[in-house]
Amino acid sequence: MGTKKLLPLSLLSLDQANAFVQETLKKYKCSSTDNMKAQLFVEETIAYWQERSSDKGNFELSIQKRFKTITLALNYWGDPENPLTLPETTDDEESDYKRIGQSILIGLSAVTYSYENGCNNVSYTLKQKPLNPAITTVIGLVGAIISGLIFQAVAPDLGKQIGTTILTPVSSTFFNFLNAIVIPVLFFSAISSIFNMDNLAQMKRIFRLLLTWSIAVILVATGVSLAIARIFLLGNTATTNHGTQGDLWNQIGEMIFGVIPANMIKPFLDGNTLQIMFLAIIGGIVMLTLKGRFPFIARMINEGNLIFTTILDAVCALMPVVVFISILNMMISGEGSALLGTILLIVLLLSSFLIIMLVMLLSLAFYEKIGPIAYFKSAAPFLLIALSTASSSATFASHTATALGKQKIRDYLVHFSIPVGVLFNKQNAIPGLLLTALFVGNIYGIAFSFADMIPVAILCMILSIAVPPSPGMGAFLFTIVFNLLGIPLEGLALAVTIDIFMDYPATAGHVMTTNIGMLHTEHRLKAIEAKKTLQTNKVSGKREA
């Protein structure tokens, strides 16, 4: 199923192309955010080709739908012209930073470029708007509880038999498959995100400041998580998994100090997350340095990322069904009382989010002299969007407008920070992973000491940057933590259920981290500029004297 349109390669065709994209994607029920980003992609590609075209010929715009995936393709016949490649230098520094921000935005949108038989092809991949995962999870959760109560009241023996022969094997198969795709998802996601960036040397002026802020918030989130775990979740079980306690530091130590693998295959066989991330980072940097030299490899990496992301989407789409099966199995096996205890976990998670937010607000009041009320008046539009959608991408337009208009942050900083923040600012994932894993471990009778939590916290800090920017897509990270702690993977159903609902306040916190980081960075840049201006004036004064 697809449609095509042939248009002259001219800026005058932009309106027709945008109207075609908007109408088609609306018919496919894509979100307004995806529609906006698709139009931005089309506009930038046409403008790039039009500027460099000598014959001013035609280009083909096509949109195809296969299953739940929609591919938007632009074809232009002529000399090789890759619109994803930015110039190394520019005379206009601010314009160059705008292009960097645009490049990152395109890179986040699963874009690939190829040149075959005289045709430039740029493909943009997106998906139909799915059902709200919170709604489907509620349906699965409520349905499982009601069904479990019915089985317990009417036929308890039959329920246990169904759980043993059908429900347990089905849920185990699903979670084993989820565990199997963890490694390729992490590898392709990391290497693709690095490769799709461009001109890294031009970003270091502000990237260092933003990175410092992100690390500071991550450390705060880790400290808050450990404190809450120490007070409420440690030492509350009857038995202790001594094997897990004894091996925990060894496993983390081997991961950290053995970050450089002995060969290229062993990390994937052993599931060593840090070695795989190391290979991905090194590979991404090398590919970025040699960008354009090996288009086949670049295309293979991007396609691999798309393949495994699509698999992950499909797996997560089944999560409500798996939640129904796992919770029903818990109910009919007599462990349904564990659900009542989730109220404590929800309170602990919300408390951790609140404490992290208060620390950020205090930093804003201390350094920028901006009070909480004044800040929320300016930031309310995009924070409410994040809170109601659990999507950082959905806040792009509102966040950008607020930062540029109300907060008076310079444009190149805004266009760089917001998309990068989607990748790196996910500090609330740390209490989400740590506290939820401890809570589920308590249900299965596994106890841990505070010393055991230090290496787990380090792992959660590392994994927090790998959280996908989509609702309910962080389930595979729980797999890593559960395997490390020796927690049965069947507990993932409960963990993912809580995580889906906590994703809404957590996302609001992530967007808030990005915004406050921009305010701090803007303040620091102004201080640097003022210092340089003062030094220049002093030098000029001495020369005049």
Coordinates of all heavy atoms in Angstrom, one line a residue, residues 228 344-354 428 431-433 435-436 498-499 502:
I228 N 16.6 5.8 49.6 CA 15.2 5.3 49.8 C 15.3 3.8 49.9 O 14.6 3.2 50.7 CB 14.4 5.7 48.6 CG1 14.1 7.2 48.6 CG2 13.1 5.0 48.5 CD1 13.3 7.8 47.5
L344 N 3.2 0.8 47.8 CA 4.4 1.2 48.5 C 5.4 1.6 47.4 O 6.1 2.7 47.5 CB 5.0 0.2 49.4 CG 6.4 0.4 50.0 CD1 6.3 1.7 50.9 CD2 6.9 -0.8 50.8
L345 N 5.6 0.8 46.4 CA 6.6 1.0 45.3 C 6.3 2.3 44.6 O 7.1 3.1 44.3 CB 6.7 -0.1 44.4 CG 7.6 0.1 43.2 CD1 9.0 0.3 43.6 CD2 7.5 -1.2 42.2
I346 N 5.0 2.5 44.3 CA 4.6 3.7 43.6 C 4.9 5.0 44.4 O 5.4 6.0 43.9 CB 3.1 3.7 43.2 CG1 2.8 2.6 42.2 CG2 2.6 5.0 42.7 CD1 1.4 2.3 41.9
V347 N 4.6 4.9 45.7 CA 4.9 6.0 46.6 C 6.4 6.3 46.6 O 6.8 7.5 46.6 CB 4.3 5.8 48.0 CG1 4.8 6.8 49.0 CG2 2.8 5.7 48.0
L348 N 7.2 5.3 46.7 CA 8.6 5.5 46.8 C 9.2 6.1 45.5 O 10.0 6.9 45.5 CB 9.3 4.1 47.1 CG 9.0 3.5 48.4 CD1 9.8 2.2 48.5 CD2 9.4 4.4 49.5
L349 N 8.7 5.6 44.4 CA 9.1 6.1 43.1 C 8.7 7.6 42.9 O 9.5 8.4 42.5 CB 8.5 5.3 41.9 CG 9.1 3.9 41.7 CD1 8.3 3.1 40.7 CD2 10.6 3.9 41.4
L350 N 7.5 7.9 43.2 CA 7.0 9.3 43.1 C 7.8 10.2 44.1 O 8.2 11.4 43.8 CB 5.5 9.4 43.4 CG 4.6 8.8 42.4 CD1 3.1 8.9 42.8 CD2 4.8 9.5 41.0
S351 N 8.1 9.7 45.3 CA 8.9 10.5 46.2 C 10.3 10.7 45.7 O 10.9 11.8 45.8 CB 9.0 9.7 47.6 OG 7.7 9.5 48.1
S352 N 10.9 9.7 45.1 CA 12.3 9.9 44.5 C 12.2 10.9 43.4 O 13.1 11.8 43.3 CB 12.8 8.6 44.0 OG 12.1 8.1 42.9
F353 N 11.2 10.9 42.5 CA 11.1 11.9 41.4 C 11.0 13.3 42.0 O 11.6 14.2 41.5 CB 9.9 11.6 40.6 CG 10.0 10.3 39.8 CD1 8.8 9.7 39.2 CD2 11.1 9.6 39.7 CE1 8.9 8.5 38.6 CE2 11.2 8.3 39.1 CZ 10.1 7.8 38.5
L354 N 10.2 13.4 43.1 CA 9.9 14.7 43.7 C 11.2 15.3 44.3 O 11.5 16.5 44.1 CB 8.8 14.6 44.7 CG 8.5 15.9 45.5 CD1 7.9 16.9 44.5 CD2 7.4 15.6 46.6
N428 N 15.5 9.8 35.9 CA 14.5 9.1 36.7 C 14.4 7.6 36.4 O 13.8 6.8 37.2 CB 13.1 9.7 36.4 CG 12.9 11.0 37.1 OD1 13.6 11.3 38.1 ND2 12.1 11.9 36.5
P431 N 16.1 5.5 39.8 CA 15.2 4.9 40.8 C 14.2 3.9 40.3 O 13.8 3.0 41.0 CB 14.5 6.2 41.4 CG 14.7 7.2 40.4 CD 16.0 6.9 39.7
G432 N 13.7 4.1 39.0 CA 12.8 3.2 38.4 C 13.4 1.8 38.3 O 12.7 0.8 38.7
L433 N 14.6 1.7 37.9 CA 15.2 0.4 37.7 C 15.6 -0.2 39.1 O 15.3 -1.4 39.4 CB 16.5 0.5 36.9 CG 16.3 0.7 35.4 CD1 17.6 1.1 34.7 CD2 15.7 -0.5 34.7
L435 N 14.8 0.6 42.4 CA 13.7 0.4 43.4 C 12.8 -0.7 43.0 O 12.3 -1.5 43.8 CB 13.0 1.7 43.7 CG 13.8 2.8 44.3 CD1 13.0 4.1 44.6 CD2 14.6 2.4 45.6
T436 N 12.4 -0.7 41.7 CA 11.5 -1.7 41.2 C 12.1 -3.1 41.3 O 11.5 -4.1 41.7 CB 11.1 -1.4 39.8 OG1 10.5 -0.1 39.7 CG2 10.1 -2.5 39.3
I498 N 4.3 -1.4 36.4 CA 4.5 -0.2 37.2 C 5.3 0.8 36.4 O 5.0 2.0 36.4 CB 5.3 -0.6 38.4 CG1 4.5 -1.5 39.3 CG2 5.7 0.7 39.2 CD1 3.2 -1.0 39.8
D499 N 6.2 0.4 35.6 CA 7.1 1.3 34.8 C 6.3 2.1 33.8 O 6.6 3.3 33.5 CB 8.2 0.5 34.1 CG 9.1 1.4 33.2 OD1 9.8 2.2 33.8 OD2 9.1 1.2 32.0
M502 N 4.6 4.9 35.7 CA 5.6 5.8 36.2 C 6.3 6.6 35.1 O 7.0 7.6 35.3 CB 6.6 5.1 37.0 CG 6.1 4.6 38.3 SD 5.6 5.9 39.5 CE 3.8 5.8 39.2

